[in-house]
Amino acid sequence: MYFESLANELLLDIFEFFDGIDLFRSFYGLNTRFNNLLSTHFHPYRFDFRSISKHDFNFICHHCLPLIIERIISLKLSNDDETPNLPNFLFSYGFTLDKFIRLQSLSLYSISSFKELNDIIVRCHQLPYLTHLYLIDGANDGEKKDTQLLFNNIWHLKKLHHLSINYILLGKLCLSRISVESLSIQYLYIENITCDLKNLLHLFKYTPNLRYLNAAIHYNVADEQIPIQICSITSLKLTFESSVPVMIKLFQMMPNLYSLTLKTMDIYLSGNKWKKILLNYLPKLQIFRLRMYFEFPHEKNINEQFEKLINTYRSSFWIKKHQWFVQCDSIPFGTYNHGILYTLPYAFNSFICYDTLISKYTCPDEKTYWRYKHVNSLQYMKYKINPTDYLNILPIQFPNIQHLKIGFPFDEQFYSFIPSLNQLKSLEIVLGENYIYQQLQTLINLSPCLYSLRLFYSFDSKVSVKQITSSSIRRLSFITKCSMTLAYFNNDECTDLAYSQLGQQCEVLVIKIENRNNVLILINIMKNLRSLVVQCKVDTWDKRNTSLNEDELVEWLRLSLPSTYSICRDTNETSYIRIWIGENINNTFLSH
């Protein structure tokens, strides 16, 4: 049976599994029937523009969006290195957010300008179905008044149900400036916005129907008053860096808490003390996930301290009543020993493998507790393991790793933790003096879905990059940790990289170059390149003394490259110039 012989109803069902970009790239223009299905009959369009080429983006804007803009329910826009300035290009076509009248979910990535964000959010006030809003990976470049305006504009969205704001540089002050009440927001993710109890109380006052909160509490005083409780919150995920009294006051604010996922810093509590806190202040708690990071008193015997601590988590309250099992790892740092105690199964999405001194656990010796299936981001920082230490290593498994940072060379024990690298998407490697090419190649060979390779090097290892092969890598980033003389690629190194197997298939490149002509070498040879981010050694532009209109290097690039290319400086890392490569051919989709 041929695909085209399927009934229209089946085809429309199949289309629902495709992103809008893939739908039009795959089916638009095949024949009148498919064109009619896409432009007239298919409804729940979802568009993710985060990794689109400028040529394909222009095609979508010219030929597709005018036909279906009122049927798009999900939209993801990004201003990162892969699609620099994309939101502004979209709006320049006249597709402002108020035109997406059926939009239910909006995700905005790496938009640093609060003025731009405010303009977008104001347009969203006219969207009657918008329930999900995500602001991801941005940085605060605005003044206090911009922050206040942004948050009030968001809280003014009448149907908003889920809100995630992952802007690392936002401070405590932003929450205290909210002055618009939202009765619709029930799920709030602000884990990178630091709060104190005063700010949190203000947030609760203007968001009275919260059910789930993901937040961070840092550096508070213990004597703050608690005038209100918020009974609607039943689930809390918290990163906490403060004192135990402040933590108790926080728990008193949420008497109906059913689920608590908690990461603490510099808090050292025994199982008996945790039991008392949970029974007294969180009587309805049923789900408790903990990661407690602390420092052992260095003047006392570490083995005795360790044994005494882990035994407090072996009582019937922990083992029989709740089956809250824990593991504790002791990690040596110079003359100090740090400890990490966490509940099992491990419930957090990131993990760092250290050179541990001691590990003990309270769970049954079953494989299910050693499968850290929630971890998708792993740092492997083991350097000092001797073969004789392998007998003390627990059989931990990380089956779902998507992001890995690892130092080279690494010990072969690493592979005992990783049953498969089939889901690995991004790899960051720190190359040491004894870096072995074959070890890196073996790791890449075991990662069939690897998309991004980022290199940190402590010596001049650029020449070895041309040896690496991979059928999947499409993004390369080169970052140095050492002297500036080794950081920049010269003409020969750029040529070697461009002609290498990785260079020929590379689509996104982040690199430091010695001179501006290296840009032309890279673009002319790397035929699949769609985005190039460069820092040029001879760039004389100074943000403090020069206006954008006098940016000599940017102007030279605009004169040297086709007018279809977008060229601009990164608003955060102003020494980097971002080039979004446009088409050089007729207005059809590029072959992939």
Side-chain angles (χ1 to χ4, degrees):
M1 176 181 290
Y2 292 102
F3 184 76
E4 290 188 36
S5 66
L6 295 176
N8 287 348
E9 291 76 13
L10 280 176
L11 289 174
L12 292 174
D13 288 341
I14 293 171
F15 286 174
E16 292 193 25
F17 292 93
F18 286 79
D19 177 78
I21 297 169
D22 294 328
L23 268 179
F24 276 91
R25 180 187 287 132
S26 302
F27 300 109
Y28 189 79
L30 291 180
N31 54 46
T32 302
R33 179 193 178 202
F34 279 104
N35 287 354
N36 190 46
L37 286 174
L38 291 173
S39 62
T40 305
H41 296 287
F42 186 65
H43 288 279
Y45 276 102
R46 297 170 178 86
F47 276 87
D48 185 349
F49 284 114
R50 287 178 295 170
S51 296
I52 193 172
S53 71
K54 192 170 188 294
H55 176 261
D56 286 2
F57 175 75
N58 290 339
F59 184 92
I60 290 287
C61 290
H62 276 294
H63 299 283
C64 307
L65 287 188
L67 301 176
I68 49 86
I69 189 171
E70 295 182 355
R71 286 179 274 140
I72 296 174
I73 64 170
S74 176
L75 186 63
K76 296 180 179 180
L77 306 177
S78 178
N79 183 24
D80 68 359
D81 292 339
E82 300 221 358
T83 54
N85 238 5
L86 181 145
N88 286 334
F89 282 111
L90 178 69
F91 304 147
S92 71
Y93 278 101
F95 302 123
T96 52
L97 262 297
D98 55 299
K99 303 292 179 61
F100 296 80
I101 61 173
R102 295 283 176 181
L103 198 64
Q104 299 173 20
S105 177
L106 173 64
S107 302
L108 303 172
Y109 296 81
S110 302
I111 300 180
S112 297
S113 169
F114 272 27
K115 182 182 183 304
E116 290 182 26
L117 282 174
N118 269 313
D119 290 343
I120 293 172
I121 300 303
V122 168
R123 295 275 187 173
C124 290
H125 291 166
Q126 301 179 50
L127 301 178
Y129 303 105
L130 187 66
T131 58
H132 292 65
L133 177 64
Y134 306 92
L135 308 182
I136 310 295
D137 293 336
N140 181 4
D141 74 340
E143 299 179 357
K144 295 176 183 178
K145 61 178 182 180
D146 299 317
T147 308
Q148 179 181 5
L149 183 60
L150 175 64
F151 273 73
N152 283 331
N153 280 331
I154 293 173
W155 257 247
H156 196 265
L157 295 168
K158 300 300 183 183
K159 298 291 185 179
L160 195 62
H161 195 260
H162 284 69
L163 172 61
S164 177
I165 305 177
N166 186 13
Y167 270 48
I168 295 175
L169 298 182
L170 287 171
K172 300 175 183 178
L173 190 61
C174 60
L175 297 179
S176 66
R177 292 179 171 269
I178 297 173
S179 59
V180 175
E181 184 181 59
S182 172
L183 298 178
S184 62
I185 297 176
Q186 296 187 31
Y187 296 84
L188 180 59
Y189 306 76
I190 50 171
E191 59 184 315
N192 287 317
I193 301 177
T194 57
C195 312
D196 56 27
L197 294 192
K198 181 179 179 181
N199 279 267
L200 206 58
L201 286 169
H202 186 87
L203 175 69
F204 291 163
K205 179 180 178 181
Y206 287 93
T207 324
N209 293 324
L210 273 182
R211 295 175 57 192
Y212 173 90
L213 176 65
N214 185 342
I217 302 289
H218 290 202
Y219 312 116
N220 318 108
V221 296
D223 58 352
E224 296 185 74
Q225 299 300 311
I226 304 180
I228 65 169
Q229 291 182 335
I230 180 160
C231 297
S232 61
I233 291 184
T234 59
S235 182
L236 174 67
K237 186 175 183 180
L238 184 67
T239 301
F240 189 82
E241 293 187 34
S242 187
S243 66
V244 173
V246 172
M247 183 173 67
I248 291 174
K249 288 180 179 292
L250 177 65
F251 292 162
Q252 288 177 301
M253 299 164 62
M254 306 176 188
N256 291 323
L257 207 59
Y258 176 86
S259 173
L260 173 62
T261 303
L262 179 65
K263 291 190 293 185
T264 67
M265 294 290 293
D266 300 323
I267 285 181
Y268 182 85
L269 287 175
S270 69
N272 298 329
K273 290 181 179 178
W274 269 118
K275 173 185 174 181
K276 183 177 180 181
I277 290 172
L278 298 178
L279 288 176
N280 290 342
Y281 304 106
L282 296 176
K284 297 184 179 181
L285 193 69
Q286 295 297 316
I287 299 172
F288 181 49
R289 306 180 183 101
L290 173 67
R291 191 174 79 181
M292 183 173 70
Y293 190 95
F294 58 93
E295 183 179 303
F296 286 104
H298 65 282
E299 71 275 5
K300 297 182 180 180
N301 183 284
I302 180 63
N303 291 310
E304 290 181 6
Q305 292 181 74
F306 198 91
E307 192 66 33
K308 183 178 180 180
L309 175 64
I310 198 70
N311 282 337
T312 65
Y313 289 88
R314 299 185 190 275
S315 69
S316 61
F317 171 83
W318 292 92
I319 303 298
K320 293 183 179 180
K321 182 177 180 180
H322 292 288
Q323 294 189 335
W324 291 340
F325 304 114
V326 303
Q327 177 171 323
C328 189
D329 302 328
S330 172
I331 304 159
F333 283 96
T335 59
Y336 295 89
N337 284 283
H338 292 201
I340 304 178
L341 184 144
Y342 46 88
T343 52
L344 293 173
Y346 188 80
F348 302 87
N349 61 9
S350 63
F351 193 90
I352 302 177
C353 285
Y354 293 105
D355 292 316
T356 56
L357 181 65
I358 311 172
S359 290
K360 289 185 180 293
Y361 55 90
T362 66
C363 66
D365 192 8
E366 298 177 9
K367 291 184 178 180
T368 180
Y369 293 103
W370 309 128
R371 288 183 63 83
Y372 290 16
K373 62 183 180 180
H374 295 288
V375 176
N376 58 44
S377 179
L378 177 68
Q379 290 188 51
Y380 191 78
M381 299 299 168
K382 286 176 165 289
Y383 299 106
K384 301 177 182 177
I385 290 183
N386 297 316
T388 56
D389 295 326
Y390 289 166
L391 295 176
N392 299 319
I393 295 176
L394 298 176
I396 297 172
Q397 299 275 292
F398 300 97
N400 298 314
I401 298 302
Q402 298 181 24
H403 311 284
L404 172 64
K405 183 174 182 178
I406 187 169
F408 278 74
F410 58 87
D411 64 274
E412 293 303 308
Q413 183 66 20
F414 164 77
Y415 290 111
S416 71
F417 297 120
I418 311 293
S420 169
L421 288 168
N422 288 341
Q423 298 184 54
L424 189 66
K425 297 178 181 178
S426 70
L427 173 63
E428 297 185 23
I429 63 173
V430 181
L431 298 179
E433 292 288 347
N434 299 317
Y435 153 67
I436 303 171
Y437 154 73
Q438 191 56 49
Q439 192 176 48
L440 172 58
Q441 186 61 62
T442 299
L443 185 62
I444 291 175
N445 291 345
L446 294 171
S447 310
C449 296
L450 184 61
Y451 171 78
S452 174
L453 176 63
R454 188 179 188 188
L455 295 98
F456 298 79
Y457 44 90
S458 56
F459 65 104
D460 192 1
S461 64
K462 299 185 293 296
V463 66
S464 65
V465 173
K466 64 182 180 182
Q467 298 176 270
I468 302 171
T469 59
S470 167
S471 61
S472 62
I473 293 174
R474 294 295 185 270
R475 176 175 175 138
L476 296 171
S477 177
F478 299 92
I479 298 176
T480 185
K481 296 172 61 180
C482 61
S483 68
M484 298 301 290
T485 58
L486 298 179
Y488 296 89
F489 280 61
N490 60 32
N491 286 350
D492 291 339
E493 291 165 340
C494 285
T495 301
D496 285 344
L497 171 63
Y499 278 118
S500 69
Q501 191 261 344
L502 287 185
Q504 284 296 292
Q505 69 186 31
C506 180
E507 297 179 8
V508 180
L509 177 63
V510 181
I511 191 171
K512 295 184 178 182
I513 57 176
E514 286 194 349
N515 66 76
R516 62 184 64 184
N517 288 312
N518 298 149
V519 172
L520 306 183
I521 292 174
L522 294 168
I523 290 178
N524 284 330
I525 300 175
M526 299 173 70
K527 300 302 182 183
N528 286 308
L529 203 62
R530 56 182 169 82
S531 180
L532 174 63
V533 181
V534 297
Q535 183 187 61
C536 187
K537 187 176 181 180
V538 297
D539 186 4
T540 59
W541 186 81
D542 188 341
K543 181 179 180 180
R544 296 167 297 181
N545 302 318
T546 309
S547 70
L548 286 174
N549 293 329
E550 299 170 335
D551 195 332
E552 190 268 340
L553 180 55
V554 169
E555 290 303 318
W556 181 86
L557 288 169
R558 287 173 177 165
L559 290 173
S560 304
L561 297 171
S563 60
T564 54
Y565 289 26
S566 166
I567 304 164
C568 62
R569 285 194 181 270
D570 190 305
T571 55
N572 293 321
E573 300 290 340
T574 56
S575 63
Y576 282 84
I577 294 174
R578 306 196 301 177
I579 304 171
W580 197 17
I581 297 171
E583 61 270 20
N584 293 317
I585 57 177
N586 293 332
N587 194 26
T588 57
F589 272 118
L590 297 175
S591 61
H592 295 278

